[in-house]
Amino acid sequence: MEQQDNDDGSLAFLKIAPDKNSRHFNCPETTQQKLLNLTFWVIDYLEDVKTKFGENRFLVKIKHNKEDPESEAKKFFTNSQEIKYVLGKIKEMNAFPRKVTLKASGTRYYFE
């Protein structure tokens, strides 16, 4: 592996790609309630995550602006069938990142 002269010794300089077999999101957690009526970018998600609230949850990684650095990314858990369905369709279309607005009708959350 050839390095440039300005190697500052940091891990960031090496630009090591994430392990595709061990995915997780190293970013602060937020809640759907805090994101309600906000527009943001869905970057990625993990399926079938077990939490203290139950199984088969999705963990969704977001950024408020598409160009934001990874250090500003956030994540939230959802069990919304509508959000899970939409995320699955976006994945099928290989269309991440995707700009969405989180809405709610009663206790039902969905993307617009």
Side-chain angles (χ1 to χ4, degrees):
M1 182 187 218
E2 200 174 303
Q3 296 292 327
Q4 297 175 359
D5 291 332
N6 58 352
D7 183 346
D8 63 3
S10 69
L11 280 175
F13 177 82
L14 298 176
K15 297 182 172 109
I16 298 170
D19 181 357
K20 298 292 183 194
N21 298 320
S22 177
R23 294 183 49 213
H24 59 280
F25 302 140
N26 288 329
C27 54
E29 187 178 329
T30 189
T31 64
Q32 291 177 115
Q33 294 87 354
K34 291 180 183 175
L35 297 170
L36 200 53
N37 297 316
L38 296 179
T39 299
F40 50 86
W41 290 86
V42 174
I43 306 302
D44 198 0
Y45 72 99
L46 301 175
E47 298 178 48
D48 301 324
V49 177
K50 183 178 180 181
T51 73
K52 64 182 176 183
F53 300 106
E55 297 180 10
N56 196 28
R57 304 297 201 253
F58 278 25
L59 183 59
V60 184
K61 180 178 176 182
I62 65 167
K63 291 183 180 180
H64 288 287
N65 299 296
K66 189 176 175 181
E67 306 80 25
D68 286 349
E70 283 297 309
S71 61
E72 293 182 25
K74 293 192 177 183
K75 61 187 175 188
F76 70 92
F77 287 95
T78 188
N79 195 35
S80 164
Q81 293 305 312
E82 291 170 78
I83 291 176
K84 291 176 174 182
Y85 175 80
V86 169
L87 290 172
K89 290 298 181 184
I90 294 169
K91 183 179 183 178
E92 281 178 22
M93 297 175 189
N94 197 23
F96 285 106
R98 190 61 34 191
K99 190 175 187 178
V100 301
T101 302
L102 184 66
K103 297 289 188 173
S105 177
T107 59
R108 182 180 64 88
Y109 292 96
Y110 61 95
F111 286 151
E112 260 186 6

